[in-house]
Amino acid sequence: MCLGVPAKVLETSDGVAVVELGGVRREISVMLVDDVSVGEWVIVHAGFAIEKLSEDAAEQTLSLFREIADAEESRDS
């Protein structure tokens, strides 16, 4: 299974962006998505932005990921 993760764009330059993923900054390629700007949210998969999404959609997705992680943690303890 492949997983794309929402990330907020912090910087852009020549087809590359710095994004924040759960408090960690990563450099990714934005060459597959048109007109990515600072402050926007993208879905990141394998080091590439593959789609833009709204801040609301990003927050909902991240919230679901946290719920899944919390449920797994509770089940394992």
Side-chain angles (χ1 to χ4, degrees):
M1 174 172 55
C2 297
L3 181 65
V5 181
K8 188 171 187 176
V9 178
L10 303 177
E11 303 172 27
T12 62
S13 177
D14 297 324
V16 175
V18 174
V19 297
E20 185 174 348
L21 295 161
V24 176
R25 291 179 180 216
R26 305 221 34 141
E27 192 173 276
I28 64 164
S29 172
V30 291
M31 297 190 73
L32 300 175
V33 181
D34 291 331
D35 301 320
V36 174
S37 301
V38 171
E40 291 186 306
W41 286 83
V42 294
I43 295 177
V44 178
H45 172 68
F48 291 86
I50 58 172
E51 183 179 342
K52 287 194 225 182
L53 70 161
S54 71
E55 184 172 0
D56 286 341
E59 292 297 337
Q60 287 176 351
T61 302
L62 291 170
S63 178
L64 288 171
F65 286 162
R66 283 189 289 274
E67 285 181 38
I68 292 167
D70 290 347
E72 286 292 317
E73 189 175 293
S74 293
R75 185 183 66 126
D76 292 341
S77 19

